[in-house]
């Protein structure tokens, strides 16, 4: 009986191993478009970025009005192992729309990345903006970005962020961020929480950042957001 039990455990381990390997090999598929946003087909994430094909994203900026005067943006710190912009501060929540999805389906990203359940009706739509970024010789990112704002007074600790994708969260004062973008100041001091990979625990963190510490976006992109906040 003991030998059979050990064999059974080995079989379970083999099944789990195969299952994990299969999950890693799942290929993300995106709807792809021409420059006029007319759908022309479906392709894999890898090919979309390699060929510079237009695709759609859902992007949501979380604004907290209780942290500082004028409000603060929630930024996520991209994990060091991300294929694009590793270790940079990025939009509160963003993700690609998968093949067959509509814009409203992107709201799932808030649950997946930050652990919060929000309906699309709770978001404010800023608009769509097309952006092109040539990240490297292998990656050309052409996106139709559907941009939203979500107002929330959650503290940083209230977010159960996706730790294999995100290394930390920070609040950045909106007015200071605007001044940084406009070149009026060189650096700003921000506070947040980061995942300590040694301790395997979240800890407070303070850092001084400059413009190059953030993922790049165009002037038109930021104006879309700031105009909506100020309206």
């Amino acid at each position: 009986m003991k030998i059979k039990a050990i064999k059974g455990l080995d079989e379970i381990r083999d099944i789990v191993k195969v299952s994990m390997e299969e999950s890693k090999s799942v290929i993300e598929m995106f709807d792809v478009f021409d420059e006029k946003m007319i759908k022309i087909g479906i392709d894999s994430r890898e090919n979309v970025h390699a060929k510079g094909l237009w695709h759609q994203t859902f992007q949501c900026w979380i604004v907290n009005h209780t942290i500082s005067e004028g409000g603060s943006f929630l930024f996520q710190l991209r994990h060091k192992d991300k294929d694009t912009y590793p270790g940079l501060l990025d939009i509160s929540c963003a993700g690609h729309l998968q093949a067959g999805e509509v814009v409203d389906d992107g709201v799932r990203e808030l649950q997946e990345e930050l652990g919060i359940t929000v309906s699309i009706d709770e978001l404010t739509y800023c608009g769509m903006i097309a952006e092109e970024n040539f990240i490297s010789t292998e990656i050309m990112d052409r996106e139709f970005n559907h941009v939203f704002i979500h107002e929330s007074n959650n503290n940083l600790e209230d977010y159960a962020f996706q730790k294999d994708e995100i290394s930390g969260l920070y609040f950045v004062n909106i007015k200071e961020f605007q001044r940084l973008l406009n070149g009026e100041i060189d650096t700003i001091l921000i506070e947040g929480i980061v995942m300590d990979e040694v301790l395997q625990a979240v800890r407070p963190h303070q850092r001084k950042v400059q413009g190059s510490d953030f993922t790049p976006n165009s002037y038109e992109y930021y104006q879309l957001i700031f105009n909506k906040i100020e309206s």
Side-chain angles (χ1 to χ4, degrees):
M1 293 297 291
K2 186 175 180 181
I3 294 174
K4 289 182 179 180
I6 293 174
K7 182 180 179 181
L9 287 173
D10 288 341
E11 288 174 348
I12 291 172
R13 290 192 186 97
D14 289 341
I15 292 171
V16 171
K17 183 178 180 181
V18 170
S19 178
M20 290 175 68
E21 289 175 350
E22 287 178 347
S23 67
K24 290 179 180 178
S25 64
V26 173
I27 298 174
E28 285 188 274
M29 301 297 292
F30 301 157
D31 290 329
V32 294
F33 304 81
D34 65 14
E35 65 277 4
K36 296 180 180 179
M37 208 176 171
I38 297 172
K39 184 178 174 180
I40 57 175
I42 298 173
D43 212 331
S44 67
R45 176 192 178 111
E46 183 180 3
N47 285 342
V48 163
H49 287 151
K51 298 176 183 177
L53 301 174
W54 287 99
H55 54 289
Q56 297 186 99
T57 71
F58 168 91
Q59 302 188 359
C60 184
W61 290 80
I62 294 179
V63 177
N64 187 309
H65 292 289
T66 65
I67 298 300
S68 60
E69 183 179 352
S72 293
F73 284 134
L74 176 73
F75 278 87
Q76 61 166 268
L77 179 64
R78 294 173 66 82
H79 196 278
K80 60 180 176 58
D81 294 333
K82 294 285 288 183
D83 59 343
T84 58
Y85 305 118
L88 294 188
L89 293 162
D90 199 5
I91 303 159
S92 314
C93 174
H96 295 96
L97 294 183
Q98 306 295 310
E101 286 190 320
V102 296
V103 177
D104 288 7
D105 293 326
V107 74
R108 62 176 165 73
E109 292 289 343
L110 287 161
Q111 173 62 46
E112 293 174 9
E113 292 192 358
L114 299 175
I116 59 173
T117 302
V118 179
S119 71
I120 195 70
D121 295 331
E122 296 175 74
L123 308 183
T124 300
Y125 187 54
C126 298
M128 189 283 291
I129 187 163
E131 296 252 279
E132 294 182 271
N133 287 302
F134 295 86
I135 300 170
S136 69
T137 54
E138 292 81 24
I139 300 177
M140 295 176 286
D141 205 14
R142 291 189 171 101
E143 298 179 336
F144 292 116
N145 301 311
H146 299 277
V147 185
F148 294 82
I149 289 174
H150 175 54
E151 296 185 1
S152 172
N153 293 332
N154 283 352
N155 295 315
L156 293 174
E157 294 77 12
D158 296 328
Y159 296 101
F161 62 89
Q162 192 176 9
K163 296 179 177 60
D164 59 338
E165 298 277 340
I166 302 170
S167 295
L169 299 173
Y170 291 86
F171 280 129
V172 177
N173 179 268
I174 294 173
K175 291 181 179 178
E176 289 188 352
F177 184 56
Q178 284 181 288
R179 293 182 65 201
L180 184 69
L181 293 176
N182 293 335
E184 298 172 26
I185 53 177
D186 295 325
T187 62
I188 52 178
L189 186 65
I190 63 174
E191 295 185 354
I193 55 174
V194 295
M195 181 65 186
D196 190 315
E197 295 187 358
V198 176
L199 299 176
Q200 286 298 296
V202 173
R203 60 177 175 81
H205 189 251
Q206 187 181 76
R207 60 182 291 195
K208 189 175 288 188
V209 295
Q210 54 191 3
S212 59
D213 291 313
F214 296 86
T215 56
N217 287 298
S218 67
Y219 171 82
E220 291 76 17
Y221 179 95
Y222 283 122
Q223 284 304 114
L224 190 72
I225 301 162
F226 293 138
N227 289 341
K228 181 61 69 172
I229 291 174
E230 294 166 2
S231 64

